[in-house]
Structures are given as C-alpha cells and as structure tokens.
C-alpha cells in the first residue's frame, strides 16, 4: 500500500514539473531552474553525508570546476557545450579523485575542516588565473543547443535541467538498492562491518566522493551555459554551506529531501532578497545572519529535516492508530 502511495506522489510530482512552464511566469521558471541545479548538488551531499557519513563543505568548488572547464573550452577553443560537458565531467572527476585521496583518510573533525580548506583555495584559484578571466570571470559562453534549437531562454532549458535531475535521482535510488549501495549504507557501521562483507571502507568512500562531485559537475555545466557567464563568487565557501543547508533542510536520510531542501532554501532566499531591503540598507549581510540562524535552529529542533519530521509524524500516527485498533479489539 505504501509503495502504491509513493508511486502516486512521484507521478503527481512529475506531472507538476512537466506542466509548470506552461502555467508559471518567467520568474518562477527561472527559480525552478535554480532549484533543479541546487537539487543535483544537494543529492550528492545526501549520498555523501547523509548515507556515507562524510561531511563536505566544498561542493561548490566542484560546481565551479565544471562550470569553468566547460566555459573555457567552449569560449577559448570554440568547442560544443556537449563536448564541454564531457570535459567538465572528466576534469571534475579527476579533481575529486585527487582531493579525495588526500583528504578521505582523515578522521573526525579533520575531514570537514580539510573540505573547507580546499573549498576556499579553489575559488581563490579561479580569481587569480589570467586564462580564466581572474575576478572578472568568463563571459559570452555559448548556449546549449539541441540541433538548431538554442536553449537560451529559461523555458527552453527547463526540461533539460529536470531530465538530468530525474536521471540523477533514478540512478541514485537504483545505486542504493544495489549491492554497492549496501556497502555505501554500511559506511556508518565502520570499516570492520564493511570488511565482513568484503568491501574496503576507503574505496567505497572515495567512489562516493567522486560520485557526489560528478553530480555537482552536471550542475556546474548547466549553470555556466544557462547564465552564459561565470565568476569566482558563486563557487565560494558560502555557496557550499548553502548547498549543505539544502540537504540538511530537506533531510539527509532521504533522496527526495535534496529536492525539497533546494526548493525551501532557494525560495526563502528569494523571499528574503525581496523583504529585507524594505527594512535595511545592508540586506546582503543581514541575509547571511538570517540563514545562519535558521541553520542553527534547524540543527537544534529538526535534525532530520523536513523528511525526517514527516517520517516521525507517520510513525506516531501509525502507532496511535494501532493503539486505537488494539483498544477496540480488546
């Protein structure tokens, strides 16, 4: 029964996403595009942090590596954005592999601290390389084309974004239900538990780290060719914390939490950008304070995120229903 309800909700969600560009305005479609991009990065964090137990504060750096790789290849060398996709996936995967080999053996609080370090350094690197435009960035990035159709408008690129998001969710779900997925779920049990089933904890962590970076790379590629401009600021540490907030807000224990969290955080961010300027001239700084306060409140009152709260409500409802039935039966 529960599986049938889940399928119905998924079908309704797909229907809403498919119909949204036909009934929503341009601003809403642009917001949905940003939510889709954020959901890809948050999905990687759900796998890496929620399932695998490795906290990363540097995912925005992988988004930036992919965005800059494709932007550089397509603007400097005149290659197709589709070739840029392959190039950005390759560069991001190799970068994640090297960074993961250097940092994933660290335990405790040293691992998240190391992700902060390379998250800071990579964004600074973008701003100090002449070939990447330094802090000015790269502009005039070509739009993605499907045949002769250029995806320059928000509605035009909308379906490409959400097809990639859907494939990312489908792949992640199938992965977790597979034999490698059981090894991934076993990471929280420690290396001894994984060794008992013939898996190496470090290898599984490294593979998961690279997979999360690949999902971020898809987001970076879309970002570069949707906005047709890249600069270091969208890939700084603040953006990484925002992506982590998306995963935490939605629920680190649920794949769907990545999508829900992305929608909540970006919708709230847009609302704050509209409301705060009415009260202060320092809306940008105040926005950071508000987000920090919300993050702390979320960790204090709802560590499981929205999906965790929903799960707890279902459990309480089922328990109370069973108790009522038991009293009637008695």
């Amino acid at each position: 029964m529960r599986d049938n309800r889940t399928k119905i909700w998924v079908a309704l969600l797909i229907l809403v996403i498919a119909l949204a560009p036909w009934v929503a305005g341009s601003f809403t479609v642009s917001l949905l595009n940003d939510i889709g991009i954020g959901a890809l990065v948050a999905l990687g964090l759900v796998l890496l942090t929620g399932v695998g137990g490795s906290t990363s504060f540097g995912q925005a750096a992988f988004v930036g590596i992919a965005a800059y790789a494709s932007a550089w290849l397509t603007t400097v060398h005149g290659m197709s954005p589709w070739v840029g996709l392959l190039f950005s996936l390759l560069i991001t995967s190799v970068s994640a592999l090297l960074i993961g080999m250097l940092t994933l053996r660290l335990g405790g609080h040293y691992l998240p601290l190391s992700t902060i370090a390379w998250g800071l350094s990579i964004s600074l690197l973008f701003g100090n390389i002449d070939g990447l435009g330094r802090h000015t960035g790269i502009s005039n990035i070509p739009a993605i084309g499907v045949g002769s159709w250029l995806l320059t408008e928000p509605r035009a690129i909308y379906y490409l974004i959400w097809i990639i998001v859907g494939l990312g969710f489908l792949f992640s779900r199938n992965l977790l239900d597979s034999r490698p997925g059981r090894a991934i779920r076993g990471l929280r049990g420690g290396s001894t538990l994984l060794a008992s089933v013939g898996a190496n904890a470090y290898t599984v962590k490294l593979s998961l780290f690279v997979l999360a970076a690949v999902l971020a790379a898809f987001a970076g590629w879309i970002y570069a060719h949707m906005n047709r401009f890249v600069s270091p600021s969208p890939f700084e540490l603040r953006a990484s914390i925002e992506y982590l907030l998306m995963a935490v807000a939605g629920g680190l224990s649920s794949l769907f939490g990545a999508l829900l969290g992305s929608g909540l955080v970006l919708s709230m961010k847009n609302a704050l950008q509209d409301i705060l300027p009415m009260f202060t001239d320092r809306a940008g700084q105040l926005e950071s304070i508000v987000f920090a306060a919300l993050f702390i409140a979320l960790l204090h009152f709802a560590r499981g995120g929205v999906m965790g709260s929903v799960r707890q409500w279902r459990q309480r409802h089922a328990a109370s229903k069973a108790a009522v039935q038991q009293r009637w039966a008695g």
Side-chain angles (χ1 to χ4, degrees), residues 43 100 107-108 117:
L43 178 61

Side-chain angles (χ1 to χ4, degrees), residues 5 315-328:
R5 285 200 300 266
Q315 290 173 351
R316 289 195 298 267
H317 180 70
S320 62
K321 186 177 180 180
V324 170
Q325 289 177 346
Q326 186 174 6
R327 284 199 299 269
W328 278 102

Side-chain angles (χ1 to χ4, degrees), residues 240-259:
S240 291
I241 295 174
E242 204 169 276
Y243 288 130
L244 187 59
L245 176 58
M246 292 177 189
V248 173
L252 283 169
S253 61
S254 170
L255 295 179
F256 182 69
L259 177 58

Side-chain angles (χ1 to χ4, degrees), residues 207-223:
S207 301
L208 192 57
F209 189 77
V210 174
L211 173 59
V214 167
L215 290 169
F218 276 106
W221 174 73
I222 296 169
Y223 177 90

